[in-house]
Amino acid sequence: MKRKNITSEMMMDYIAQALLLLMKQKSYQDITIGEITKKAGVNRSTYYRHFETKESIIRFYLDSIMQEYQDVFHEKHSLDFGVYIQTMFETFYSRSEELLRIHDAGMSFLLLDVLNERFHFGNIVEKASKAQQFKASYHIGGIYNNLLLWFSHRMSETPAEMTKITLSYRPENSLTLFNIDE
């Protein structure tokens, strides 16, 4: 079925969902662009208009999770770090099947790119001092490594448990994304 009258964002999501569905059936390395486009119901030119590689599809998917998590957090109208981090774990947990498929394919390293793009190279960090930039980088690395460890545990810990663990070793004066300019 060919798709018509849809937005670029929707098209990109169809392609990402097609790749993730195919990853249920065969290894990531063996999936072809032709299989992805057929499963997504799009032609090759549509694929290449939006993506360069399969890795760029996964980056897009991971970024969409980050966008969803940030949207949910902003709807909560909170600046509490515990709420922030729990919202992140809840959002990732809701996509556990797909995230574990990505992790099992050896592609979870792309998450670090997405985290860096979302937090480290944005407008906030551009205004920060060099020391604050290093703090932001440290913060992002901690989140990334905790997510990888959680994936390796098959996400068996609940979001509430992950939040409790994360908050238990967070230093009093550590950087949050809300006080970077202090």
Side-chain angles (χ1 to χ4, degrees), residues 156-172:
S156 60
E157 297 84 2
T158 67
E161 290 170 323
M162 288 302 298
T163 301
K164 184 176 179 182
I165 291 166
T166 301
L167 293 177
S168 73
Y169 54 75
R170 183 172 165 261
E172 275 306 306

PDB file of all heavy atoms in Angstrom, residues 156-172:
ATOM      1  N   SER A 156      14.823  -4.679  33.576  1.00  0.00           N
ATOM      2  CA  SER A 156      14.073  -5.383  34.622  1.00  0.00           C
ATOM      3  C   SER A 156      13.732  -4.479  35.810  1.00  0.00           C
ATOM      4  O   SER A 156      12.757  -4.742  36.523  1.00  0.00           O
ATOM      5  CB  SER A 156      14.837  -6.613  35.099  1.00  0.00           C
ATOM      6  OG  SER A 156      16.100  -6.247  35.622  1.00  0.00           O
ATOM      7  N   GLU A 157      14.521  -3.425  36.019  1.00  0.00           N
ATOM      8  CA  GLU A 157      14.197  -2.468  37.080  1.00  0.00           C
ATOM      9  C   GLU A 157      13.064  -1.568  36.585  1.00  0.00           C
ATOM     10  O   GLU A 157      13.016  -1.193  35.420  1.00  0.00           O
ATOM     11  CB  GLU A 157      15.415  -1.612  37.437  1.00  0.00           C
ATOM     12  CG  GLU A 157      16.584  -2.392  38.005  1.00  0.00           C
ATOM     13  CD  GLU A 157      17.486  -3.015  36.941  1.00  0.00           C
ATOM     14  OE1 GLU A 157      17.233  -2.817  35.726  1.00  0.00           O
ATOM     15  OE2 GLU A 157      18.435  -3.721  37.312  1.00  0.00           O
ATOM     16  N   THR A 158      12.170  -1.220  37.477  1.00  0.00           N
ATOM     17  CA  THR A 158      11.074  -0.325  37.105  1.00  0.00           C
ATOM     18  C   THR A 158      11.598   1.104  36.975  1.00  0.00           C
ATOM     19  O   THR A 158      12.670   1.431  37.509  1.00  0.00           O
ATOM     20  CB  THR A 158       9.957  -0.329  38.162  1.00  0.00           C
ATOM     21  OG1 THR A 158      10.483   0.265  39.367  1.00  0.00           O
ATOM     22  CG2 THR A 158       9.421  -1.738  38.431  1.00  0.00           C
ATOM     23  N   PRO A 159      10.853   1.976  36.294  1.00  0.00           N
ATOM     24  CA  PRO A 159      11.268   3.385  36.252  1.00  0.00           C
ATOM     25  C   PRO A 159      11.426   3.989  37.649  1.00  0.00           C
ATOM     26  O   PRO A 159      12.355   4.774  37.875  1.00  0.00           O
ATOM     27  CB  PRO A 159      10.132   4.045  35.465  1.00  0.00           C
ATOM     28  CG  PRO A 159       9.645   2.963  34.558  1.00  0.00           C
ATOM     29  CD  PRO A 159       9.718   1.711  35.408  1.00  0.00           C
ATOM     30  N   ALA A 160      10.560   3.618  38.568  1.00  0.00           N
ATOM     31  CA  ALA A 160      10.672   4.137  39.943  1.00  0.00           C
ATOM     32  C   ALA A 160      11.970   3.659  40.594  1.00  0.00           C
ATOM     33  O   ALA A 160      12.652   4.440  41.283  1.00  0.00           O
ATOM     34  CB  ALA A 160       9.464   3.709  40.770  1.00  0.00           C
ATOM     35  N   GLU A 161      12.327   2.398  40.386  1.00  0.00           N
ATOM     36  CA  GLU A 161      13.586   1.881  40.937  1.00  0.00           C
ATOM     37  C   GLU A 161      14.785   2.583  40.305  1.00  0.00           C
ATOM     38  O   GLU A 161      15.744   2.936  41.003  1.00  0.00           O
ATOM     39  CB  GLU A 161      13.696   0.367  40.702  1.00  0.00           C
ATOM     40  CG  GLU A 161      12.736  -0.455  41.534  1.00  0.00           C
ATOM     41  CD  GLU A 161      12.684  -1.916  41.118  1.00  0.00           C
ATOM     42  OE1 GLU A 161      12.761  -2.218  39.901  1.00  0.00           O
ATOM     43  OE2 GLU A 161      12.549  -2.770  42.026  1.00  0.00           O
ATOM     44  N   MET A 162      14.738   2.794  38.997  1.00  0.00           N
ATOM     45  CA  MET A 162      15.839   3.476  38.319  1.00  0.00           C
ATOM     46  C   MET A 162      15.982   4.916  38.819  1.00  0.00           C
ATOM     47  O   MET A 162      17.092   5.415  38.993  1.00  0.00           O
ATOM     48  CB  MET A 162      15.633   3.453  36.804  1.00  0.00           C
ATOM     49  CG  MET A 162      15.846   2.089  36.169  1.00  0.00           C
ATOM     50  SD  MET A 162      17.495   1.394  36.451  1.00  0.00           S
ATOM     51  CE  MET A 162      18.538   2.613  35.645  1.00  0.00           C
ATOM     52  N   THR A 163      14.857   5.573  39.056  1.00  0.00           N
ATOM     53  CA  THR A 163      14.895   6.938  39.579  1.00  0.00           C
ATOM     54  C   THR A 163      15.525   6.950  40.962  1.00  0.00           C
ATOM     55  O   THR A 163      16.405   7.778  41.251  1.00  0.00           O
ATOM     56  CB  THR A 163      13.472   7.532  39.627  1.00  0.00           C
ATOM     57  OG1 THR A 163      12.931   7.520  38.306  1.00  0.00           O
ATOM     58  CG2 THR A 163      13.485   8.945  40.187  1.00  0.00           C
ATOM     59  N   LYS A 164      15.106   6.032  41.808  1.00  0.00           N
ATOM     60  CA  LYS A 164      15.644   5.949  43.174  1.00  0.00           C
ATOM     61  C   LYS A 164      17.153   5.683  43.145  1.00  0.00           C
ATOM     62  O   LYS A 164      17.922   6.332  43.859  1.00  0.00           O
ATOM     63  CB  LYS A 164      14.928   4.849  43.953  1.00  0.00           C
ATOM     64  CG  LYS A 164      15.337   4.755  45.390  1.00  0.00           C
ATOM     65  CD  LYS A 164      14.527   3.710  46.128  1.00  0.00           C
ATOM     66  CE  LYS A 164      14.976   3.635  47.566  1.00  0.00           C
ATOM     67  NZ  LYS A 164      14.257   2.594  48.307  1.00  0.00           N
ATOM     68  N   ILE A 165      17.583   4.764  42.287  1.00  0.00           N
ATOM     69  CA  ILE A 165      19.012   4.456  42.160  1.00  0.00           C
ATOM     70  C   ILE A 165      19.772   5.697  41.704  1.00  0.00           C
ATOM     71  O   ILE A 165      20.793   6.068  42.284  1.00  0.00           O
ATOM     72  CB  ILE A 165      19.223   3.293  41.163  1.00  0.00           C
ATOM     73  CG1 ILE A 165      18.694   1.973  41.741  1.00  0.00           C
ATOM     74  CG2 ILE A 165      20.697   3.165  40.779  1.00  0.00           C
ATOM     75  CD1 ILE A 165      18.548   0.860  40.703  1.00  0.00           C
ATOM     76  N   THR A 166      19.274   6.343  40.669  1.00  0.00           N
ATOM     77  CA  THR A 166      19.948   7.518  40.108  1.00  0.00           C
ATOM     78  C   THR A 166      20.049   8.649  41.124  1.00  0.00           C
ATOM     79  O   THR A 166      21.101   9.276  41.271  1.00  0.00           O
ATOM     80  CB  THR A 166      19.210   7.999  38.841  1.00  0.00           C
ATOM     81  OG1 THR A 166      19.187   6.935  37.892  1.00  0.00           O
ATOM     82  CG2 THR A 166      19.886   9.208  38.226  1.00  0.00           C
ATOM     83  N   LEU A 167      18.974   8.901  41.829  1.00  0.00           N
ATOM     84  CA  LEU A 167      18.985   9.989  42.810  1.00  0.00           C
ATOM     85  C   LEU A 167      19.854   9.662  44.018  1.00  0.00           C
ATOM     86  O   LEU A 167      20.357  10.569  44.673  1.00  0.00           O
ATOM     87  CB  LEU A 167      17.557  10.314  43.254  1.00  0.00           C
ATOM     88  CG  LEU A 167      16.659  10.922  42.178  1.00  0.00           C
ATOM     89  CD1 LEU A 167      15.246  11.126  42.718  1.00  0.00           C
ATOM     90  CD2 LEU A 167      17.234  12.219  41.641  1.00  0.00           C
ATOM     91  N   SER A 168      20.076   8.381  44.307  1.00  0.00           N
ATOM     92  CA  SER A 168      20.853   7.992  45.482  1.00  0.00           C
ATOM     93  C   SER A 168      22.327   8.355  45.370  1.00  0.00           C
ATOM     94  O   SER A 168      23.002   8.517  46.381  1.00  0.00           O
ATOM     95  CB  SER A 168      20.721   6.491  45.746  1.00  0.00           C
ATOM     96  OG  SER A 168      21.460   5.750  44.789  1.00  0.00           O
ATOM     97  N   TYR A 169      22.864   8.488  44.184  1.00  0.00           N
ATOM     98  CA  TYR A 169      24.281   8.824  44.038  1.00  0.00           C
ATOM     99  C   TYR A 169      24.510  10.176  43.380  1.00  0.00           C
ATOM    100  O   TYR A 169      25.611  10.507  42.979  1.00  0.00           O
ATOM    101  CB  TYR A 169      25.050   7.727  43.285  1.00  0.00           C
ATOM    102  CG  TYR A 169      24.479   7.344  41.951  1.00  0.00           C
ATOM    103  CD1 TYR A 169      24.630   8.158  40.839  1.00  0.00           C
ATOM    104  CD2 TYR A 169      23.772   6.162  41.815  1.00  0.00           C
ATOM    105  CE1 TYR A 169      24.090   7.798  39.624  1.00  0.00           C
ATOM    106  CE2 TYR A 169      23.223   5.799  40.600  1.00  0.00           C
ATOM    107  CZ  TYR A 169      23.391   6.608  39.513  1.00  0.00           C
ATOM    108  OH  TYR A 169      22.865   6.266  38.312  1.00  0.00           O
ATOM    109  N   ARG A 170      23.488  10.951  43.299  1.00  0.00           N
ATOM    110  CA  ARG A 170      23.602  12.297  42.731  1.00  0.00           C
ATOM    111  C   ARG A 170      24.105  13.256  43.812  1.00  0.00           C
ATOM    112  O   ARG A 170      23.456  13.457  44.823  1.00  0.00           O
ATOM    113  CB  ARG A 170      22.238  12.748  42.231  1.00  0.00           C
ATOM    114  CG  ARG A 170      22.277  14.083  41.564  1.00  0.00           C
ATOM    115  CD  ARG A 170      20.919  14.369  40.923  1.00  0.00           C
ATOM    116  NE  ARG A 170      20.848  15.762  40.597  1.00  0.00           N
ATOM    117  CZ  ARG A 170      20.234  16.675  41.334  1.00  0.00           C
ATOM    118  NH1 ARG A 170      19.581  16.318  42.423  1.00  0.00           N
ATOM    119  NH2 ARG A 170      20.238  17.924  40.980  1.00  0.00           N
ATOM    120  N   PRO A 171      25.270  13.864  43.597  1.00  0.00           N
ATOM    121  CA  PRO A 171      25.800  14.802  44.601  1.00  0.00           C
ATOM    122  C   PRO A 171      24.872  16.003  44.785  1.00  0.00           C
ATOM    123  O   PRO A 171      24.171  16.408  43.862  1.00  0.00           O
ATOM    124  CB  PRO A 171      27.138  15.249  44.016  1.00  0.00           C
ATOM    125  CG  PRO A 171      27.454  14.257  42.951  1.00  0.00           C
ATOM    126  CD  PRO A 171      26.159  13.700  42.484  1.00  0.00           C
ATOM    127  N   GLU A 172      24.899  16.570  45.970  1.00  0.00           N
ATOM    128  CA  GLU A 172      24.055  17.720  46.311  1.00  0.00           C
ATOM    129  C   GLU A 172      24.163  18.859  45.314  1.00  0.00           C
ATOM    130  O   GLU A 172      23.179  19.409  44.883  1.00  0.00           O
ATOM    131  CB  GLU A 172      24.422  18.261  47.698  1.00  0.00           C
ATOM    132  CG  GLU A 172      23.738  17.572  48.847  1.00  0.00           C
ATOM    133  CD  GLU A 172      22.226  17.533  48.748  1.00  0.00           C
ATOM    134  OE1 GLU A 172      21.585  18.598  48.589  1.00  0.00           O
ATOM    135  OE2 GLU A 172      21.676  16.433  48.819  1.00  0.00           O
TER     136      GLU A 172
END
